Amino acid sequence: MKVGIIRFPGSNCDRDVFHALKIAGGEPDYVWWNQKDLSDFDAIVIPGGFSYGDYLRAGAIASITPVIDGIKEIVKEEKPVLGICNGAQILAEVGLVPGIFTNNENAKFICKQVELKVASTRTPFTSMYKKNEIINMPMAHAEGRYYNEEIEKLHDQDQIVLKFEGENPNGSMEAITGVCDETGLICAVMPHPERASEMVLGSSDGLKFFKGIVNFKS
């Protein structure tokens, strides 16, 4: 499984994702923002960071770069795409996942370990978890509060992937912190599974996100 990791100016979790994919048995490679042809890849991960300094709003400038056209072609080919933190914001900005990720309720950057509930296991990234399994991963964002005016549609179509468990630190609607498109192949999560891929980091609960990519069969 060859997985492309998208790099924008300001990305800072790309190497962490590379390492997690290697541990999971994948073949990761970096892809710069100006590359359109992604046909060599079996899956794509958009990592966290502060693409273009989060100017205008998180993900706004990244959403109009050439690599987005390549990602849309990958989507047409029914290959999995995972957006993490800033990557999730970018996927929402371009309309590949429903809803938006906006400023945290307390208007502060929040960085801490959080408990999460796996609300759906139909995505490649959550397929190795049990439904409603509680996992522990870090969050690190200032614009991660989820909002969607068609929340019932997400429930009806099983598009809620992750929810905060026990607390709702950023004020997200229904404590939602991860969603997918209607197919389940495009997934946007605000917490960082790559920062929970080995026990030396305090948790290995996130590694299954990457094992799910590696083991995906269309």
Side-chain angles (χ1 to χ4, degrees), residues 170-205:
N170 64 9
S172 286
M173 179 178 283
E174 296 192 14
I176 295 167
T177 191
V179 295
C180 65
D181 73 331
E182 294 180 8
T183 71
L185 292 175
I186 311 169
C187 185
V189 298
M190 288 307 299
H192 288 264
E194 79 282 4
R195 297 185 189 179
S197 57
E198 297 178 280
M199 281 309 300
V200 70
L201 300 173
S203 172
S204 60
D205 288 352

Side-chain angles (χ1 to χ4, degrees), residues 41-211:
F41 296 103
D42 303 302
I44 294 293
V45 178
I46 311 175
F50 303 91
S51 59
Y52 299 95
D54 279 352
Y55 286 109
L56 302 181
R57 62 183 173 274
I61 298 177
S63 72
I64 58 171
T65 55
V67 76
I68 298 299
D69 292 331
I71 292 171
K72 289 178 177 178
E73 288 301 314
I74 285 283
V75 169
K76 290 178 184 177
E77 295 171 14
E78 298 185 346
K79 296 177 180 179
V81 177
L82 174 65
I84 303 169
C85 199
N86 191 220
Q89 295 160 341
I90 292 167
L91 288 177
E93 183 74 24
V94 299
L96 289 177
V97 295
I100 61 169
F101 296 96
T102 188
N103 294 329
N104 293 345
E105 193 171 52
N106 65 3
K108 294 181 180 180
F109 187 91
I110 303 173
C111 181
K112 65 177 184 176
Q113 291 287 128
V114 288
E115 286 196 335
L116 305 161
K117 178 184 287 187
V118 180
S120 177
T121 58
R122 75 183 186 94
T123 79
F125 321 101
T126 55
S127 60
M128 300 185 75
Y129 297 96
K130 295 177 182 177
K131 188 175 176 64
N132 295 324
E133 182 176 347
I134 306 301
I135 60 176
N136 188 281
M137 297 195 305
M139 63 179 284
H141 58 252
E143 299 176 49
R145 177 167 59 94
Y146 185 74
Y147 179 78
N148 191 321
E149 293 183 346
E150 298 181 320
I151 197 71
E152 288 306 318
K153 185 177 178 182
L154 296 190
H155 286 287
D156 293 342
Q157 298 182 162
D158 193 18
Q159 290 179 255
I160 300 170
V161 177
L162 288 180
K163 300 182 76 171
F164 291 114
E165 175 70 12
E167 65 168 333
N168 186 356
N170 64 9
S172 286
M173 179 178 283
E174 296 192 14
I176 295 167
T177 191
V179 295
C180 65
D181 73 331
E182 294 180 8
T183 71
L185 292 175
I186 311 169
C187 185
V189 298
M190 288 307 299
H192 288 264
E194 79 282 4
R195 297 185 189 179
S197 57
E198 297 178 280
M199 281 309 300
V200 70
L201 300 173
S203 172
S204 60
D205 288 352
L207 185 60
K208 289 179 182 178
F209 266 81
F210 303 102
K211 286 186 174 180

